[in-house]
Amino acid sequence: MSVTRRPARRPTEKRPDAGGRPALGVECLESRLVCAAVAVPAAQAGSLTQYLLAREPEPGPALAAFACAPTSATNALVSLQRQYPSLFGSSLAGRTLADWADTSLVLAGPGFMNTQPALGGTVPEGNLPAGLRAYLDGRGYGGAIDVEGMFPQGEPGGFVETKVGPLPEGYVSGVPTPGFIADALADGAPVIVTILYPPEAGKQVSGHNVLVTGMSWDDATDTGTFTFVDPLDAAVAERRGREGLLPVGAQKLTSGTVSITPTLPLPVVDGIQDVVRNVLTLEYDQYQGELPYRPTDYGTAIAFIGGATVLRPAAAVLAARAVVQLDVGVRRGAAVVMTHEQIARASVGGASAESFVVTATSSGRLQRFDGDRWVGIPRGALPPAHREIAPLVARREIRPGDMVRWIPAAPSRVRAVPAFRIRAWNGVALSATSTLFSVAPTRSATPAAPTTDTTG
């Protein structure tokens, strides 16, 4: 269940602890099951606050209060592309806050997470993992990022099965454990946890989703802390004109205490009682206002961690990252010319009838020879194309028979210079893996360009 709801409030003047950056790595005590401190690079996660969607075109305003799942997923995708820039560039979620808002709206849409205000948010049949998989497939990363997780199954026809449906592929059965979350964080994998607010008689059960970036745990006392990005309060608020404070600044981390609830009865469905045991319970000061931001609008939230979704780059993809060294000189303004055949041989090991798409230019300028002149290939990263990618690749495509040239921005006498990244393109989707081309300095002569036209 990924509905955002405001729980019973206990107002406080205190802001959530922004927290220091948790120590990277793992420090384990031999007698304890779970590590004392573990974290992903917290500053790399996205900082999109879901209420900013109210400032986007429709359906943004209608979805804003219910978009915790797609917003947390977007912040997780930002974390991945920042950790693995040579693999993903900015193609998972985009580079700017506006790009991230657009990504969140796409994830919330039909065919993805299907977030519906009338139903309270992202609730039916495990739509968080299903929506993520559909989105990654559409972006060409279906085999590049594994969607894994942990979720209880419950009794047939009971509350869990009714709300969540069958256990999604790649998930293991059970309530998330400290060890499961710690293992994912130790691998640098973003962890989206689904929290469930305490059931209240006669009211619809509701919940929320946050992106965990760090945790500590003491197995001797069954207590610990989580550090996370809450989509209700994901960024430092900055004043923008007459609107007041908006969360458009640097990422904000929230901290909460975690303990274990031994037994949690869930609502009865058709006479069937689901009971989950040893449930992690999170308590923290949650922002309970809307926008503009008001620093007094915090209250205590207590919620049970009912599920965890992990985004992890596939091992085969990490192993397949390639850096191709083109053994020619790196002299400012001296063009390095390459054919489609040479690019294919260097990146896929032989001839290829497929095109390649330049997903980012790391430095210098890249141009394609078109008819009788050189035409510039856009220098920035390939923008996110959530609905239709084909129009965006036209100016970046390197087709069989094409010739491109890279023009360094500065000379290099010692080190290899990253030039550009490509992915294979079959006319429908981009390949999951990318190749980074670098140019290494030598005394070799630079090939002559076929024309003197320097357009672009």
Side-chain angles (χ1 to χ4, degrees):
M1 285 65 61
S2 49
V3 185
T4 298
R5 175 184 78 100
R6 295 178 183 80
R9 300 184 58 179
R10 191 167 71 218
T12 173
E13 297 294 319
K14 181 182 176 184
R15 291 181 63 166
D17 181 10
R21 296 294 185 261
L24 296 180
V26 182
E27 297 179 9
C28 294
L29 297 179
E30 195 170 314
S31 62
R32 294 181 182 172
L33 173 64
V34 181
C35 300
V38 62
V40 299
Q44 293 182 348
S47 56
L48 177 64
T49 297
Q50 65 187 75
Y51 282 118
L52 288 177
L53 300 185
R55 286 158 169 74
E56 296 293 311
E58 289 292 348
L63 289 172
F66 306 92
C68 58
T71 303
S72 288
T74 297
N75 288 333
L77 292 171
V78 173
S79 176
L80 281 180
Q81 66 185 23
R82 285 176 170 174
Q83 288 188 68
Y84 303 99
S86 65
L87 280 177
F88 305 121
S90 59
S91 59
L92 293 178
R95 304 178 66 179
T96 67
L97 196 62
D99 291 339
W100 302 347
D102 183 52
T103 298
S104 182
L105 288 176
V106 172
L107 282 167
F112 299 99
M113 294 184 185
N114 199 26
T115 304
Q116 299 182 52
L119 297 177
T122 310
V123 290
E125 289 80 35
N127 275 6
L128 175 58
L132 272 168
R133 286 199 175 99
Y135 176 81
L136 292 171
D137 286 345
R139 299 294 296 136
Y141 294 107
I145 299 174
D146 295 329
V147 181
E148 306 168 350
M150 191 169 187
F151 220 102
Q153 287 187 288
E155 297 292 330
F159 176 83
V160 173
E161 184 180 88
T162 302
K163 291 294 184 182
V164 181
L167 194 67
E169 180 184 354
Y171 281 57
V172 295
S173 178
V175 294
T177 64
F180 179 85
I181 296 172
D183 286 346
L185 293 175
D187 287 343
V191 182
I192 303 166
V193 297
T194 299
I195 59 179
L196 178 71
Y197 297 121
E200 298 178 38
K203 293 186 178 181
Q204 178 182 350
V205 175
S206 59
H208 189 42
N209 288 273
V210 302
L211 177 64
V212 177
T213 60
M215 67 172 288
S216 66
W217 185 259
D218 188 335
D219 194 51
T221 61
D222 282 341
T223 58
T225 61
F226 275 5
T227 306
F228 51 95
V229 179
D230 186 344
L232 295 172
D233 190 30
V236 176
E238 293 184 349
R239 189 173 298 279
R240 284 288 182 92
R242 297 181 180 179
E243 288 187 278
L245 292 172
L246 294 179
V248 294
Q251 176 214 81
K252 181 194 288 186
L253 297 180
T254 299
S255 294
T257 60
V258 185
S259 57
I260 289 181
T261 296
T263 304
L264 175 64
L266 295 176
V268 176
V269 176
D270 293 333
I272 299 172
Q273 175 79 69
D274 272 346
V275 177
V276 289
R277 305 186 189 282
N278 298 322
V279 183
L280 291 175
T281 305
L282 173 66
E283 180 174 353
Y284 71 103
D285 285 328
Q286 183 186 76
Y287 184 65
Q288 296 173 0
E290 297 186 11
L291 298 184
Y293 172 81
R294 293 182 295 272
T296 58
D297 284 359
Y298 287 88
T300 298
I302 299 174
F304 306 106
I305 297 177
T309 296
V310 178
L311 294 176
R312 196 190 309 268
V317 172
L318 294 177
R321 284 185 293 177
V323 177
V324 178
Q325 303 289 352
L326 300 173
D327 198 24
V328 297
V330 181
R331 300 193 299 276
R332 182 175 182 177
V336 178
V337 179
M338 291 159 276
T339 65
H340 174 277
E341 181 182 2
Q342 290 171 321
I343 292 171
R345 189 164 57 246
S347 60
V348 301
S352 174
E354 287 189 329
S355 295
F356 298 99
V357 171
V358 178
T359 56
T361 302
S362 301
S363 65
R365 291 182 294 153
L366 191 64
Q367 301 171 337
R368 182 182 65 214
F369 194 64
D370 186 7
D372 59 354
R373 66 192 184 102
W374 290 102
V375 177
I377 291 176
R379 297 177 64 178
L382 181 68
H386 305 304
R387 296 176 178 84
E388 180 58 52
I389 192 172
L392 293 179
V393 306
R395 294 182 60 199
R396 297 169 174 267
E397 189 175 2
I398 304 172
R399 299 174 292 271
D402 278 353
M403 181 179 296
V404 298
R405 69 178 183 182
W406 176 70
I407 304 172
S412 177
R413 295 183 178 181
V414 179
R415 67 180 182 88
V417 180
F420 59 94
R421 283 194 299 270
I422 63 167
R423 294 182 187 274
W425 167 250
N426 62 8
V428 178
L430 295 168
S431 63
T433 58
S434 65
T435 300
L436 171 66
F437 279 77
S438 297
V439 178
T442 71
R443 295 182 179 179
S444 303
T446 302
T451 180
T452 58
D453 189 343
T454 57
T455 302

